[in-house]
Amino acid sequence: MNISGSGHTLSDVALDITVECIDDRGIRHEIDTVLSYAGSDPFAVAMTFVTSDGNLVWTFGRDLLIRGAESPAGDGDVHVSPASSLSGRAMVSIELSSPDGHLVLLARASDVLDFLARTIAVIAPGAESDSFDADLLISQLLAS
């Protein structure tokens, strides 16, 4: 197991990658990012953006990332689709939207596919509900 991001998330799979960010002005930046997956939350993946102001975590469906790596997918705040870099390298575009703005990220497709293969080795797609303890979640929600 690995500790990812700020050290608060225990994950079964964590991969450090660098993504390209395109800001609202069209300027490209590189951001150090950690993709993580925990079998204890089998439906979700997290992207932790490591910044000088602290870490920012976006969590979204693993299925969305799996589908979006192959063809455009997503509704709402997160959209994922295959893309190409300016040099023609295979990339995965991850678009994040919030009331604060819209951000387009480009990650190397090979990094995303490596990460997904490692998550699938932990829990196969379709078997997530076998690893999800709904009773535990309900008891935790009722206790708070």
Side-chain angles (χ1 to χ4, degrees):
M1 292 195 160
N2 295 311
I3 300 292
S4 68
S6 63
H8 297 294
T9 303
L10 189 61
S11 60
D12 294 303
V13 177
L15 182 65
D16 295 333
I17 65 170
T18 300
V19 296
E20 287 183 30
C21 161
I22 304 168
D23 68 19
D24 290 337
R25 300 168 304 205
I27 299 172
R28 292 181 181 269
H29 307 273
E30 290 188 343
I31 301 174
D32 293 328
T33 305
V34 179
L35 287 173
S36 59
Y37 177 77
S40 60
D41 189 3
F43 295 100
V45 295
M47 289 187 78
T48 302
F49 303 101
V50 181
T51 72
S52 58
D53 295 330
N55 296 343
L56 175 65
V57 181
W58 273 75
T59 303
F60 53 93
R62 178 178 72 155
D63 183 59
L64 173 60
L65 189 59
I66 291 170
R67 289 182 293 116
E70 298 297 323
S71 62
D75 293 318
D77 295 342
V78 181
H79 294 259
V80 181
S81 62
S84 296
S85 70
L86 295 175
S87 64
R89 169 180 272 151
M91 306 291 277
V92 174
S93 172
I94 302 169
E95 296 182 49
L96 306 174
S97 297
S98 78
D100 294 328
H102 181 82
L103 184 64
V104 177
L105 304 164
L106 291 174
R108 289 183 181 171
S110 59
D111 290 340
V112 172
L113 294 175
D114 176 45
F115 171 74
L116 289 171
R118 292 170 58 194
T119 72
I120 290 167
V122 174
I123 298 176
E128 294 92 350
S129 60
D130 298 339
S131 300
F132 185 72
D133 189 345
D135 292 331
L136 175 62
L137 176 62
I138 291 169
S139 68
Q140 289 172 337
L141 288 173
L142 294 175
S144 54

